[in-house]
Structures are given as structure tokens and as C-alpha cells.
Amino acid sequence: MWFLRFLNFSRKGFFFHGFSTAKASAINTQLRAAPRFYLGRTAQAYLSTLQEAKNDVEKMPLAKSLASLVVESSPPGDVKDTDRPEMGRVGMKRLFEMRVKKRVKQQYMNGRFSDLFMKVVADPKTLMDAYNCIRVCSNVDVATWEDSGICFESLAEDLANGRFDVEANTCTVSTRGGTRKEVLVLPNLKLKVVQEALRIVLEVVYKPHFSKISHGGRSGRGHLSAFKYICKEIPDPDWWFTVLVSKKVLNVEFGGFPKGQGLPQEGTLSPILMNIYLRLFDDEFHRMSMRYEALDSSIELDEKQPQSKLRSWFRRQIKCSAGNPKGCENSGVRVYSCRFMDEIFFAVSGPKEASLSLKSEVQNYFQDCLHLDVNRNMEIVSCNHGQGVRFAGALLIRTIKDSPAVRAVHKLKEKVKVFALQKQEIWDAGTARIGKKCLAHGLRKVKESEIRHLSDNNSCLSKISCYRKSGMETDHWYKQLIKIWMQDLEKNAATSEEYILSKCIAEPALPPSLLESFYEFQRRVEEYNSSETDSLLSLLPSSGLSQQCETITKVIAPVNVIQKRLLRYGLVSDKGYSRAVHALILQDSSQIIDWFSGIGHRWLRWCNECENFGELKIIVSEQVRKSCIRTLALKYRIHESEIEKSFGSQLSSMLLSQDAEDGICEDMLDTCSLDNDEALMYGISYSGLCQLSLARMVSLSRPCNCFVMGCSAAAPCVYILHVMERQKFPGWNTGFSSCIHPSLNKRRIGLCKQHLKDLYLGEISLQSIDFGSWKRSIS
């Protein structure tokens, strides 16, 4: 309590008693210029606590006052540091948005909003909060927040008077070379702040009117909620299809590239404007469903079906809204829709004629009413013949749900398969060790003088003697022989030293009975795992066959497409074996590991609910992790086993096994929360991995700051961005950036170490980078 006489707080600011007027005024000026987050939450809570303590200071005994002296005398900075991690990025952005939303709601009078631009958007406080939201999305450390360099009072005045020049606050980037020029116009920081303020205001006005079938850019309604809606709330579809729209409306590009993946060409206002525009279709589909399900007289009613289809339709809608999809079942026609941004999925329970009619009606509405181009070649697929449909970067298929007995058999087969793989790994390691010892022992025993006087020119030793030069050491000779042997064996599997030692040296020398018994065991395991359905059903009890089969919808990750992306980015060879990524060799070892870990983090975040997530685990353990090891081995020019010993703990975090998965989830609590609130962190949770190569080190003669918006840290290195692919719309979710604009190819960007790590691990997206900074920072 001893410092309370120096500090008081009022609405006008802080007043320091005991200091000179000039010094108190200077301190007040600094505190007012500090980020509003501290004054708005931490400082006020801290000062209110001090005020309560001041009121009770006379009542507190002397002993208790002295005992609490150490805690109370801690500086305010300690309180901020302990308070900040509890909130997290999502909580911080929610706090800043709530301030703006409160100002918007104050303008709601007589059933409508009024004067939002002048009273809310053109407000320095709103612009400051919008800028803080940008810094939160850019993952700028709160402790390093400094003056933004933007005069928000002047910016608000320009907006209010109509003097804000939009064109002057943009940068233009165009493709280099080629006959076809593609231009990308990106906002600078000032325009980005204005767009963020507009986005928050529009969200308050239109969010209550969005339909339940729309996903993307909304709190708790992203990719995962869209898949959950399709799998859980569409009980028994017969036909499904997707409608692809394209065109530029409201300066928002419909189609063209996948939305929500943090691509620079998708603006800040794109998700909210797209949801506002397509809300017209959402409302129209509600009327369509009423016509098809309640008013369509072309479908004959069953005798047991209620005679009033309209009353039945309303009852089903009430049950569905109450979260009871089983109560939504009906023998008549049912139509469903799920929209993720500009990708729209439809399902129909009923005859194919109803699905054809619905598709034609939907296409006509988009073209005639919304003036959007529609791809009329989309095929209507039957759900009951194992044919899937692509939606939101994944594949949706209908399969028969396995009974408990079938699942038990599959589990047994999986255990047998894992047991056989473990025995195969032990066998390969043991035979490779035996072959290495035999070959090394034989080469050491042979002297160079004995080789020259061999009587038998056809012997194996005589054939390999020509590869030993005069004075060559035994170890060097051994490595040379292995290298030549690998080159001579034109086999797909002959890609490693262990294969040569095991298959070509050790196994031919083993007893034939031992070899036959081991490979007979592996053959029997393979036959068991590839057994047909009849063999599987023979293992089941007869009672399980009489049960009625239940068909469910499953989400499948595009594993085949992911394998092609690994080849495109250089992680695997054309034969499917891991290789070093040469573009990453000049970067630090921690940055290389972060780049490879970013693949696993994204697959864990995107595909954890997919049915074939186990296949991605195998890819990570056998290809991605091995590629990381070989990249580090090539960088330091040491053996791969030494890399595994040196970087064991970092490499183990890449594995998506159950234990490693739990550890990753604990480390990614804040990141996992991004999926649950896509409106707050739109474009970050599903941002793809991009490839950067080192361009140059930053020197005193050529300085460079970090290009991330809101970050003023010095960039130690400048990197080159490589555009590796440009998927057609709609694209697949593969973990990599699917469609970066070609004008950004080979562009140089400066990044600090923290934001390079964030970009690799998916904590920020390319939308956080100010690509216009290269004109000011890089010569």
C-alpha cells in the first residue's frame, strides 16, 4: 500500500502525485500512446484492485499489510506477462472486436442501424482496434507492440471527409515474362485497417441473418462443421452433386481458387461479402425445400404417410432444428444443401428426376437472379454405388457401417499386419548387420599384395580387386564397392546400403530352411490380410449376418493427391522414396524441421476426422520424416543415423502416432481453437505450406525489416517465395498452398525468425505479409 499515495486513476488518465507537472504530463502522454489492450483490460483490472485495496488499507492489520508488501510491490509488467497467455490470440482478437461491435450496437435505433460509417468506421478508436486485430492475426508479440506509424486521427478524418485515396494505398504486382500478364492488386497497411474495420461492422449487421447451411468465415462454422453437418444431419441421401459458380461480383471472385486457405488474392472483406451475397441463395433454397418436400404433388403418398405434407414438413424442420436428425426421416422427397463459401453441396433423398429438377432450378437461379456463371457439366452421382463427390477439399462417400464383429476382425487383421511388419524390420536390420560384418571382415583380411597374385581370375575377389586403387584404405574400398554395387543393381528397392548388405550378401549365406520359413510366414500374412469377403464373413457369427446394414457418410482425405504434392515439392522421388529437399539446405536446422513439421501439423488439424487418417500417419513416418533426415544429412554431410541421434526429440514430434499426437495437441491448444472460431482467424487455420528458399543475408549496408504487417523486427534473412502449383477450382486440401497467385512467384520477402517459424507451422498465412514492402526495403 505504500505506493498508493503516488498513483491515482481517473477517466482522464493517470496522475502521479509527488512528481513535477511536466514529468507527470510526459508519463501520461506515453501511457495514452500505449496499446489500448493494456489500458483496456490489464491496467484497469490492476488499478481497480489497487483502489479496492486502498479503501481497505486502514482496516488491514499491520502484519497482513507487511506480508503482502512483496506481492503488491511487483511491477505492472509482471501482471501483464501472467495475464497475456491466459487470453491467447483468439481471446485477444475477440476482445478488440467486441469493442467495435459495442459501438455498432449503440447505433441501432428504431429497428435499424444508422450512420455506421461516420460514427463507427471513421472513429480513431475503431481503427486502432482494427489494427490490433491485424497484429493479433499476424502473431506479433504483444510485448513488442510499438507505435504503428499510422495517425489514426488523420485517417479517420480522411474517411469522414471522403479524402481517403484507395488507389494510393494499394500496390500492384504483375507476373514477370511470358505473353500473358496477370496483375494482382494488394492493399497496404492503411487500407488493410479500413477493410478490417468494415468487416467487423458488416459482421454485426448481417451475422444474425445467415442460414444454418452456410459455413466458412463464421464462428464455429468452418470445414469441420460442414463435414459434420453432411455426415450427421443428412441421414439417407440417394443422389448428390455440387454446383460450381464463377464470376467477379462486388469485386469478389467467385470460384477461381479455394477460399479460406490464406491466399493473398483473397481479400479481408471477401468472406463476409460472399456470405452476404450468397445469403440470397440460402433463403431461396429454404423455399425450394419447402416446395419439394411439402408442396410437390407429383410424388404419390403412401397410405401410412400423413396426408398433410405441409404440416409434416414443419414438424420435420422443428425436429431438425432441435438436433434430432432421426426425426427428420421421411419416405418422401428430401433435399439438402451445405455451402462452404462458394462451394455448394446438394443431396437428394428420392428419385433421380427430383435431383435433376433441383439442379436445373439451382443453376437457373444463380444465372438469372445472382448473375453468376454455373458449370452445367456437373454430374449427379448415386450415393449407393460407392461413388464419391468432392467438396471442401475432401472426398465424401457412402459406405456400409461395420458391425462390432467386423470391426473386431479388422482389428485382428491390423494387429497381424503390424506384427509382420515388426518382424520384417527386425529381419532386415539383423541381416544388414550380418552382411556388413562379413564384408568388412573379409576385406580387412585381404592384403593388397595377395590380390595381385590371385590364381583364379574368375573369383569374386579377383573381380572386385580392380576397384581398389594403389594405397586405398580398406574403409574407402568398402564404400566404393557398395556404391558401385548399388549402381549396377537396377532394381527399384536397391536404393540403400542396407538393402545391398541384407539381400545380396547376408541372405544368400543363410541356411535355406531359415529363409524359407521366414518368407513363408510373410506370404501367409499377406494372404490373410488380402482375404476376400467370403473368408471374412466365415469368421463372423451367424447372428451378425441377419442384422440390417447401416449406410453412413465418410470423409476421405485425398491421399493420392497428397502423394503427388510430395513429389512436386521434392520430398519423394518419382519411384516414391524419400529424398532431400535442396531448396531448404541453406536454412537453419530448426527452420528445416519446422517446415517438415508444418506438414504434419496441418494434416493433424485438417484430416484428424477423416476416415483414412491412418494412411497419413504412415506417410509422415515413412516419407516426410525420412525426407527431413536426409535434408539435414545433406546439409551437414554426415550419416543419417547421426542426424537421428542429434535431432531425436525434434524429429519425434513429427510422428502422428497416438503418443506424439497427444503431445502435439497439447502444444497446439491455441492453434486448435482456431478451427472452432473461423470467423476470428479466417484463412489461418487452413493456410497451406509454401516453399521458401534463402536469397541473401541481411547486412548493415542493405537492411531489411520483417514484411509481416504490424511487425517492426529486423529480418536477418531475405527469402524467395516459390509458386509450386496452381490447382483448378475446386482444389484439394493437401497441406500445401494450392493456388498462390503467379505474380508472387520468385518475389523476395524479409521475415524475422519468429514469423518464419509461424509461417511454416501454420500460425500465420501469406495474407499477413505486406508484399508491397519489397519496393521500399529491397533493392
Side-chain angles (χ1 to χ4, degrees), residues 230-334:
I230 295 174
C231 296
K232 302 297 184 182
E233 300 191 28
I234 302 180
D236 191 18
D238 296 316
W239 310 91
W240 54 20
F241 61 94
T242 57
V243 172
L244 305 180
V245 297
S246 61
K247 203 173 181 179
K248 208 161 194 178
V249 180
L250 298 174
N251 204 26
V252 177
E253 183 176 358
F254 290 81
F257 59 89
K259 307 303 185 295
Q261 296 189 9
L263 298 173
Q265 58 264 36
E266 184 179 8
T268 305
L269 293 173
S270 293
I272 185 64
L273 293 180
M274 189 172 293
N275 280 330
I276 292 173
Y277 192 71
L278 294 181
R279 183 176 67 92
L280 301 174
F281 165 76
D282 298 339
D283 297 338
E284 178 63 23
F285 179 78
H286 189 71
R287 291 186 285 269
M288 290 181 185
S289 65
M290 184 175 179
R291 287 199 301 270
Y292 276 88
E293 299 179 16
L295 303 178
D296 188 7
S297 60
S298 61
I299 306 299
E300 295 183 359
L301 297 176
D302 298 334
E303 295 181 358
K304 297 181 180 180
Q305 188 176 353
Q307 295 299 317
S308 176
K309 296 185 68 176
L310 183 61
R311 184 184 297 115
S312 176
W313 182 81
F314 279 112
R315 288 175 177 174
R316 288 197 305 271
Q317 295 299 318
I318 294 174
K319 292 179 180 180
C320 290
S321 61
N324 184 16
K326 294 184 178 180
C328 304
E329 298 177 358
N330 185 51
S331 59
V333 177
R334 297 294 314 278

Side-chain angles (χ1 to χ4, degrees), residues 68-294:
S68 60
L69 182 60
V70 179
V71 178
E72 294 174 347
S73 60
S74 59
D78 295 342
V79 179
K80 298 173 187 175
D81 292 339
T82 57
D83 187 46
R84 191 180 307 119
E86 296 178 357
M87 177 169 288
R89 293 174 65 191
V90 175
M92 290 174 62
K93 188 172 183 182
R94 183 179 289 111
L95 173 67
F96 294 130
E97 288 193 0
M98 288 302 297
R99 295 178 180 176
V100 181
K101 292 177 180 180
K102 184 177 180 181
R103 302 185 191 107
V104 175
K105 294 177 180 179
Q106 290 176 352
Q107 300 301 120
Y108 186 78
M109 294 175 291
N110 300 325
R112 59 178 298 178
F113 292 96
S114 60
D115 209 10
L116 289 178
F117 189 83
M118 297 297 295
K119 296 295 183 62
V120 181
V121 177
D123 185 354
K125 297 179 181 179
T126 300
L127 298 175
M128 182 66 183
D129 290 332
Y131 175 66
N132 289 335
C133 291
I134 294 175
R135 289 199 281 195
V136 170
C137 291
S138 300
N139 202 20
V140 179
D141 188 7
V142 181
T144 62
W145 282 13
E146 299 178 357
D147 187 12
S148 61
I150 301 177
C151 181
F152 295 103
E153 289 77 10
S154 177
L155 178 59
E157 184 178 353
D158 292 341
L159 290 173
N161 297 331
R163 297 196 304 265
F164 183 75
D165 191 352
V166 176
E167 186 176 357
N169 288 278
T170 59
C171 66
T172 303
V173 186
S174 60
T175 55
R176 301 174 180 177
T179 57
R180 182 184 176 185
K181 288 285 186 181
E182 296 190 45
V183 179
L184 179 64
V185 181
L186 298 173
N188 67 0
L189 185 55
K190 280 187 178 181
L191 184 55
K192 192 90 171 179
V193 170
V194 177
Q195 290 178 341
E196 182 69 15
L198 288 171
R199 181 195 66 81
I200 300 173
V201 171
L202 291 174
E203 184 176 314
V204 177
V205 177
Y206 288 97
K207 181 181 177 180
H209 305 286
F210 289 152
S211 171
K212 69 173 185 178
I213 69 172
S214 67
H215 301 260
R218 300 179 58 189
S219 297
R221 305 185 72 85
H223 287 76
L224 297 181
S225 64
F227 292 143
K228 183 178 179 181
Y229 175 81
I230 295 174
C231 296
K232 302 297 184 182
E233 300 191 28
I234 302 180
D236 191 18
D238 296 316
W239 310 91
W240 54 20
F241 61 94
T242 57
V243 172
L244 305 180
V245 297
S246 61
K247 203 173 181 179
K248 208 161 194 178
V249 180
L250 298 174
N251 204 26
V252 177
E253 183 176 358
F254 290 81
F257 59 89
K259 307 303 185 295
Q261 296 189 9
L263 298 173
Q265 58 264 36
E266 184 179 8
T268 305
L269 293 173
S270 293
I272 185 64
L273 293 180
M274 189 172 293
N275 280 330
I276 292 173
Y277 192 71
L278 294 181
R279 183 176 67 92
L280 301 174
F281 165 76
D282 298 339
D283 297 338
E284 178 63 23
F285 179 78
H286 189 71
R287 291 186 285 269
M288 290 181 185
S289 65
M290 184 175 179
R291 287 199 301 270
Y292 276 88
E293 299 179 16

Side-chain angles (χ1 to χ4, degrees), residues 270-476:
S270 293
I272 185 64
L273 293 180
M274 189 172 293
N275 280 330
I276 292 173
Y277 192 71
L278 294 181
R279 183 176 67 92
L280 301 174
F281 165 76
D282 298 339
D283 297 338
E284 178 63 23
F285 179 78
H286 189 71
R287 291 186 285 269
M288 290 181 185
S289 65
M290 184 175 179
R291 287 199 301 270
Y292 276 88
E293 299 179 16
L295 303 178
D296 188 7
S297 60
S298 61
I299 306 299
E300 295 183 359
L301 297 176
D302 298 334
E303 295 181 358
K304 297 181 180 180
Q305 188 176 353
Q307 295 299 317
S308 176
K309 296 185 68 176
L310 183 61
R311 184 184 297 115
S312 176
W313 182 81
F314 279 112
R315 288 175 177 174
R316 288 197 305 271
Q317 295 299 318
I318 294 174
K319 292 179 180 180
C320 290
S321 61
N324 184 16
K326 294 184 178 180
C328 304
E329 298 177 358
N330 185 51
S331 59
V333 177
R334 297 294 314 278
V335 294
Y336 308 90
S337 177
C338 180
R339 179 177 64 83
F340 179 80
M341 302 304 293
D342 52 355
E343 295 186 54
I344 309 173
F345 167 86
F346 295 92
V348 177
S349 295
K352 189 175 182 179
E353 290 73 15
S355 59
L356 291 172
S357 176
L358 175 64
K359 179 182 177 182
S360 177
E361 191 172 352
V362 168
Q363 290 174 339
N364 293 333
Y365 179 80
F366 273 109
Q367 288 186 333
D368 299 339
C369 300
L370 299 183
H371 307 288
L372 293 174
D373 297 332
V374 180
N375 184 8
R376 291 185 173 271
N377 297 325
M378 297 303 297
E379 182 181 1
I380 298 177
V381 180
S382 174
C383 304
N384 301 323
H385 294 85
Q387 297 180 350
V389 62
R390 179 167 64 176
F391 177 71
L395 185 67
L396 301 175
I397 62 172
R398 295 281 293 176
T399 59
I400 298 176
K401 184 178 180 180
D402 294 335
S403 63
V406 175
R407 288 197 298 268
V409 173
H410 285 309
K411 188 175 182 180
L412 176 60
K413 293 175 67 175
E414 187 67 24
K415 288 184 177 181
V416 173
K417 183 178 179 180
V418 171
F419 178 77
L421 289 176
Q422 291 175 350
K423 295 302 180 183
Q424 183 68 49
E425 292 177 357
I426 296 173
W427 174 272
D428 293 339
T431 53
R433 185 167 59 252
I434 293 173
K436 186 175 183 178
K437 289 184 177 181
C438 293
L439 183 60
H441 180 75
L443 294 179
R444 290 193 184 98
K445 290 295 183 180
V446 178
K447 297 181 181 179
E448 187 175 354
S449 59
E450 297 177 355
I451 297 176
R452 298 174 182 174
H453 301 87
L454 290 173
S455 58
D456 188 4
N457 295 329
N458 295 325
S459 63
C460 180
L461 187 60
S462 177
K463 292 179 181 179
I464 66 175
S465 62
C466 60
Y467 297 109
R468 182 169 185 174
K469 300 179 181 179
S470 178
M472 180 180 287
E473 297 292 337
T474 303
D475 293 342
H476 190 189

Side-chain angles (χ1 to χ4, degrees), residues 527-761:
E527 290 179 358
Y528 174 74
N529 288 326
S530 60
S531 59
E532 299 297 334
T533 306
D534 295 338
S535 301
L536 177 63
L537 294 177
S538 64
L539 301 175
L540 302 179
S542 58
S543 59
L545 300 177
S546 61
Q547 297 177 357
Q548 185 177 3
C549 298
E550 179 183 357
T551 306
I552 58 175
T553 303
K554 294 183 179 180
V555 182
I556 306 298
V559 176
N560 294 333
V561 181
I562 289 174
Q563 291 280 10
K564 295 179 181 179
R565 295 302 176 267
L566 296 179
L567 174 62
R568 183 186 297 273
Y569 280 80
L571 278 77
V572 298
S573 62
D574 54 353
K575 297 179 180 180
Y577 296 96
S578 301
R579 54 176 296 185
V581 181
H582 295 270
L584 302 174
I585 291 178
L586 296 180
Q587 300 184 31
D588 295 341
S589 58
S590 60
Q591 297 168 353
I592 295 175
I593 296 176
D594 288 339
W595 191 85
F596 284 96
S597 299
I599 302 176
H601 283 203
R602 286 170 172 84
W603 289 347
L604 176 66
R605 188 188 305 163
W606 299 2
C607 308
N608 192 22
E609 302 296 330
C610 293
E611 187 67 23
N612 57 342
F613 182 66
E615 298 182 37
L616 297 180
K617 292 182 180 181
I618 298 176
I619 294 176
V620 170
S621 60
E622 294 185 357
Q623 293 184 332
V624 176
R625 183 175 179 272
K626 192 67 174 179
S627 177
C628 180
I629 293 174
R630 292 184 174 177
T631 304
L632 294 172
L634 183 61
K635 174 181 176 63
Y636 294 105
R637 297 187 179 274
I638 58 178
H639 198 268
E640 296 175 7
S641 59
E642 298 296 328
I643 293 295
E644 293 191 70
K645 293 179 182 178
S646 302
F647 301 95
S649 59
Q650 296 93 320
L651 294 173
S652 62
S653 63
M654 297 173 57
L655 296 176
L656 297 186
S657 60
Q658 186 63 37
D659 296 337
E661 184 178 323
D662 295 339
I664 292 176
C665 290
E666 292 178 0
D667 297 336
M668 297 171 61
L669 286 177
D670 189 29
T671 305
C672 291
S673 63
L674 304 180
D675 299 332
N676 300 326
D677 205 335
E678 194 166 326
L680 293 174
M681 295 296 179
Y682 178 81
I684 297 179
S685 56
Y686 277 82
S687 61
L689 181 65
C690 59
Q691 191 172 78
L692 302 176
S693 62
L694 183 64
R696 67 175 179 89
M697 303 292 292
V698 175
S699 60
L700 295 177
S701 59
R702 299 177 65 187
C704 179
N705 289 335
C706 183
F707 279 28
V708 173
M709 292 184 179
C711 181
S712 58
C717 300
V718 175
Y719 303 90
I720 298 176
L721 175 63
H722 299 276
V723 177
M724 304 296 294
E725 58 179 311
R726 194 175 185 183
Q727 289 188 29
K728 295 182 179 180
F729 180 80
W732 294 102
N733 284 341
T734 62
F736 299 95
S737 292
S738 58
C739 191
I740 303 177
H741 198 272
S743 62
L744 301 178
N745 188 32
K746 302 297 179 65
R747 295 292 176 182
R748 299 191 174 193
I749 57 176
L751 293 173
C752 62
K753 289 186 177 181
Q754 180 60 41
H755 281 121
L756 179 64
K757 179 178 181 178
D758 292 340
L759 186 63
Y760 282 169
L761 295 180

